[in-house]
Amino acid sequence: MGNKSSLMLQPEEIAEIHQETGFSPSQIERLYSRFTNLDKTDNGTLSREDFLRIPELAINPLGDRIVHAFFNEAYDDRINFRQFMRVLSRFRPVKKNKENKLNSREEKLRFAFKMYDLDDDNKISRDELLAVLHMMVGANISEEQLANIADRTILEADHDGDHMISFEEFCSTLERTDVEEKMSIRFLH
Amino acid sequence: SWWPGGFHVTPKISLICPESCLLIVVGVIIGLLLFYAGLTNVGPLTPNVFFLYMLPPIVLDAGYYMPNRPFFDNLVTILLFAVVGTVFNAMTVGMSLWAVGLTGLYGVEMPLLDTLLFSSIACAVDPIAVLAVFEEIHVNEVLYILVFGESLLNDAVTVVLYHMFEGYAEMGPKNIITVDYLAGVASFFVVALGGTIVGILWGLLAAFVSRFTHHVRVIEPLFVFVMAYLSYVSAELFHFSGILALTFCGITMKNYVEENISYKSHVTVKYAMKMLASSSETIIFLFLGVSTVNDNHEWNTWFVVMTIFFCTVYRTIGVIILTALANRFRLHRIDKVAQFILAYGGLRGAVAFALVLIVSDRIIPTKNMMVTTIIALVFFTVFIQGMTIGPLVRILNVPIKNKIKLSMNERILTRSMDHLMAAIEDIVGQTMGNYHLRDKFKYYNNKYLRPVLT
């Protein structure tokens, strides 16, 4: 698998992706081989189905929401390697001395926001929040309790009184949270 | 904490001095009184009393109220310190002490195996001393869990090294063959994994039993304590690590038990556990002071000085090397200040004292000298390091633990971030990632374990 992928990925392309996303060449090659692995149809792009075929992702309660947020970058329903890398680079750890637009706090939050904002109107409505809560807690909590939680959550975050959470309100509720830490993983080389 | 209330009446003393120091001082005073009253060799801190009655409550409390998330998030680093670090310290300190001994500085003959036995006792960071000091200074969660986790998990290493070197010393260096060395390494895994597995099994059993206690709520706390204690005793029965068993028993049973028992039982468990733990912590430090006063001491200035010197130096070196290693795979680097606290927070305590008391003077002729040296080392770390670590934390601006109540939004959003990060790990195919493993555990836990146990 490693051989095949390094053959198909041109050095110039690696350099460009490295420039844009900050991933090291070995990380790019590793992720490329993962990408081709996921690409069952071998046409250089991934569809939603390709993602949902990952067994662990299928049991993730927010699985399809996360895939939805992934495709925010795409123009149609397929995502190419460049876009794939651009999305993943959001989860690179933030290094103090290296500025990178893609993995800034705001970009990380933007991704998390997209998980909730299903209709892409830049606001989280009560129904959108309730839907996510539903997925996360499963059947343990009653409908009424969930609705209560959703109301309280919106009341707490909503400053302009439209009963929705805008991206700015979303960011301000997470002011005390170390988003840079919580939304980063160490990519293997 | 609340227990030795008297010390807090004079607030200035408790600002300078951790409780553990004051308790030792009181213990020494009592010991002196007893000594001059002619009651020699009272020595209440016998190894049996310590290991069977006084240690378990503290370890259970630690395991039961373990902050699980930081513990498992940092588990690899903690294990690195607890296993590699302790072995490194024990070996280097032992070798160095032995090398210095070759010059005849101590005036007594110390074979290599004896010094190694001694150093394996001297190098183990003590959970009780660490708890006693760190509870008061409130450093941030990661730093606390690194020191404290190390002190709990190194128990297996200490136990193995201790038995191994005692065995070797008894056999004599000439009779040791390669198989014995291999057996030593293998026994580490048996002791550590054995203890952990015994603990987890008892924890699951306790959780299962607590499902059926809703008719007689009064016995619920009793089950928690008895089953936890049984995990400790049954691990010790096979010479597995009792501390590991108890820690993991507490970690395992906690979530399920809390769901099964009534609110009143929950409160009872909490207060009884805290009370037992702080009583036995108090008694340990008090007894440590009392036991110091006896006429069996063999003070060997150079040996004491060299032990303290090597323990400090090699702990620092070990921490620097191991953090350099750990920072390669950690997302959040352990910085210089944290390294200093890690090295400096390695306090020794009653575990070392009780272990050195068990050493038989038939095998190790210099036992009394070792006991004296360990006491000196314990006093040095508890008094000098314990008293200065608080001010140092303030001077060095070590991040302090901030206790804020999370808002509803923060709770929901951080939880969804966890799912998100698990998914990202799945997408890039890093199946050994923290988030991935936690998600997987949660999934199986909810699907299989929870229905059976709660």
Side-chain angles (χ1 to χ4, degrees):
Chain A
M1 196 50 77
N3 266 341
K4 181 189 155 199
S5 61
S6 55
L7 275 178
M8 287 163 69
L9 203 61
Q10 303 302 319
E12 310 82 77
E13 214 174 343
I14 294 181
E16 275 174 41
I17 295 174
H18 168 69
Q19 199 63 34
E20 187 184 13
T21 62
F23 280 113
S24 74
S26 62
Q27 284 172 327
I28 296 171
E29 278 184 36
R30 198 190 158 275
L31 289 169
Y32 189 68
S33 98
R34 176 70 181 169
F35 183 85
T36 47
N37 225 340
L38 293 175
D39 181 15
K40 295 287 183 238
T41 47
D42 275 328
N43 61 1
T45 57
L46 296 181
S47 65
R48 283 168 202 252
E49 288 68 40
D50 285 325
F51 280 100
L52 293 171
R53 218 175 282 132
I54 304 171
E56 288 86 2
L57 204 57
I59 63 168
N60 192 319
L62 298 182
D64 47 335
R65 285 312 181 94
I66 291 156
V67 174
H68 167 77
F70 232 87
F71 278 85
N72 197 44
E73 190 83 16
Y75 308 108
D76 47 16
D77 262 5
R78 306 197 68 84
I79 185 168
N80 64 26
F81 184 59
R82 267 308 219 347
Q83 293 161 332
F84 181 74
M85 292 301 281
R86 217 174 291 145
V87 177
L88 286 182
S89 72
R90 284 184 173 68
F91 303 102
R92 289 180 55 245
V94 184
K95 291 246 169 63
K96 280 191 201 87
N97 44 2
K98 279 187 204 148
E99 277 292 320
N100 189 324
K101 288 192 293 294
L102 286 174
N103 66 350
S104 67
R105 181 186 172 95
E106 196 186 326
E107 283 299 322
K108 286 178 194 294
L109 283 171
R110 181 77 67 184
F111 192 97
F113 187 76
K114 281 284 166 234
M115 277 164 54
Y116 287 87
D117 182 21
L118 204 56
D119 57 5
D120 296 321
D121 64 347
N122 271 319
K123 298 218 179 247
I124 300 175
S125 69
R126 184 174 177 276
D127 289 336
E128 282 168 335
L129 182 67
L130 206 55
V132 175
L133 285 176
H134 225 279
M135 296 173 185
M136 279 203 292
V137 298
N140 296 334
I141 296 183
S142 75
E143 219 48 55
E144 198 180 331
Q145 278 172 308
L146 267 188
N148 262 330
I149 294 175
D151 287 336
R152 264 183 61 194
T153 310
I154 292 199
L155 196 67
E156 199 183 81
D158 181 29
H159 299 306
D160 56 10
D162 62 352
H163 302 291
M164 309 240 247
I165 304 175
S166 67
F167 183 62
E168 287 69 35
E169 286 162 347
F170 183 81
C171 292
S172 72
T173 59
L174 285 169
E175 246 163 16
R176 300 185 299 180
T177 312
D178 190 357
V179 177
E180 288 89 340
E181 183 199 317
K182 288 226 161 68
M183 291 187 63
S184 301
I185 59 168
R186 222 185 132 266
F187 287 92
L188 297 178
H189 285 277
Chain B
S1 70
W2 51 276
W3 175 250
F7 299 139
H8 287 265
V9 178
T10 49
K12 272 182 190 152
I13 296 180
S14 67
L15 276 182
I16 314 165
C17 227
E19 270 166 31
S20 45
C21 301
L22 295 165
L23 286 166
I24 291 182
V25 171
V26 172
V28 170
I29 294 171
I30 297 172
L32 284 172
L33 287 176
L34 291 172
F35 189 76
Y36 287 110
L39 295 163
T40 47
N41 293 326
V42 180
L45 195 66
T46 63
N48 261 343
V49 171
F50 176 75
F51 284 116
L52 286 179
Y53 308 116
M54 297 202 292
L55 183 64
I58 301 174
V59 179
L60 176 63
D61 178 53
Y64 199 81
Y65 291 105
M66 174 75 81
N68 283 356
R69 174 110 195 225
F71 178 73
F72 286 106
D73 277 356
N74 295 297
L75 190 60
V76 182
T77 315
I78 293 172
L79 281 175
L80 193 66
F81 279 113
V83 179
V84 183
T86 309
V87 171
F88 169 81
N89 281 333
M91 290 302 163
T92 48
V93 171
M95 301 278 191
S96 307
L97 277 177
W98 172 72
V100 170
L102 288 181
T103 63
L105 189 65
Y106 310 143
V108 269
E109 201 202 337
M110 292 279 281
L112 178 60
L113 285 174
D114 293 16
T115 50
L116 282 174
L117 171 65
F118 172 76
S119 68
S120 64
I121 298 171
C123 286
V125 175
D126 184 88
I128 302 167
V130 168
L131 262 182
V133 168
F134 275 70
E135 288 256 283
E136 288 180 38
I137 57 173
H138 303 295
V139 289
N140 67 339
E141 222 172 22
V142 175
L143 205 48
Y144 172 77
I145 205 72
L146 286 181
V147 184
F148 180 55
E150 176 199 349
S151 70
L152 279 176
L153 299 195
N154 71 14
D155 176 60
V157 182
T158 313
V159 169
V160 169
L161 286 178
Y162 176 84
H163 286 297
M164 198 166 82
F165 287 124
E166 196 180 35
Y168 290 167
E170 195 168 12
M171 286 170 6
K174 289 180 198 69
N175 306 324
I176 302 172
I177 49 174
T178 327
V179 179
D180 294 319
Y181 293 114
L182 292 177
V185 177
S187 71
F188 163 72
F189 290 99
V190 174
V191 168
L193 292 178
T196 309
I197 290 167
V198 166
I200 291 174
L201 287 180
W202 277 106
L204 292 177
L205 193 64
F208 185 67
V209 168
S210 68
R211 268 187 74 172
F212 305 102
T213 51
H214 52 269
H215 300 300
V216 233
R217 293 284 192 197
V218 226
I219 58 165
E220 281 173 342
L222 195 67
F223 268 107
V224 171
F225 290 114
V226 168
M227 311 261 294
Y229 190 63
L230 282 173
S231 80
Y232 179 79
V233 180
S234 56
E236 288 287 318
L237 188 68
F238 299 106
H239 288 286
F240 295 154
S241 163
I243 293 188
L244 278 181
L246 207 43
T247 309
F248 279 96
C249 180
I251 292 176
T252 312
M253 74 159 105
K254 188 195 172 185
N255 288 319
Y256 309 113
V257 166
E258 295 287 287
E259 273 182 43
N260 288 338
I261 63 178
S262 70
Y263 177 71
K264 278 182 181 169
S265 303
H266 159 81
V267 174
T268 312
V269 167
K270 182 174 170 183
Y271 281 95
M273 209 176 270
K274 293 278 172 215
M275 194 204 67
L276 281 174
S278 49
S279 320
S280 88
E281 191 183 300
T282 307
I283 296 171
I284 286 171
F285 284 112
L286 208 63
F287 279 12
L288 199 61
V290 177
S291 308
T292 310
V293 187
N294 62 51
D295 44 14
N296 291 332
H297 284 302
E298 265 175 50
W299 179 264
N300 187 327
T301 311
W302 278 113
F303 190 63
V304 172
V305 170
M306 282 299 154
T307 304
I308 292 176
F309 174 73
F310 285 134
C311 279
T312 318
V313 168
Y314 284 117
R315 174 145 182 102
T316 314
I317 295 174
V319 165
I320 291 171
I321 296 174
L322 291 176
T323 43
L325 198 64
N327 278 340
R328 294 178 70 91
F329 62 80
R330 280 179 69 87
L331 193 57
H332 308 287
R333 299 175 57 82
I334 304 170
D335 59 8
K336 285 270 179 300
V337 174
Q339 285 179 27
F340 174 75
I341 298 296
L342 279 175
Y344 204 71
L347 303 158
R348 318 306 206 269
V351 174
F353 179 69
L355 275 177
V356 80
L357 283 183
I358 323 178
V359 172
S360 112
D361 42 10
R362 186 176 50 82
I363 307 170
I364 314 286
T366 48
K367 180 198 166 182
N368 283 343
M369 186 178 97
M370 288 181 180
V371 176
T372 309
T373 311
I374 288 287
I375 291 178
L377 181 67
V378 169
F379 277 34
F380 175 81
T381 57
V382 172
F383 278 90
I384 310 282
Q385 290 177 204
M387 272 163 76
T388 48
I389 199 165
L392 278 172
V393 161
R394 280 188 288 277
I395 294 168
L396 294 171
N397 277 326
V398 178
I400 300 294
K401 184 164 102 187
N402 44 347
K403 260 194 183 160
I404 40 169
K405 211 164 182 284
L406 288 180
S407 70
M408 199 61 130
N409 277 283
E410 285 169 322
R411 272 160 58 193
I412 292 171
L413 293 176
T414 46
R415 195 155 156 198
S416 66
M417 280 179 202
D418 284 346
H419 288 305
L420 168 61
M421 296 318 294
I424 298 297
E425 283 182 347
D426 295 333
I427 289 171
V428 301
Q430 290 178 195
T431 46
M432 288 309 283
N434 263 351
Y435 292 100
H436 172 90
L437 291 178
R438 184 181 316 112
D439 242 36
K440 207 164 199 173
F441 171 74
K442 271 194 182 158
Y443 176 74
Y444 287 112
N445 186 34
N446 284 333
K447 200 165 175 195
Y448 301 107
L449 280 176
R450 195 168 288 279
V452 181
L453 297 175
T454 59

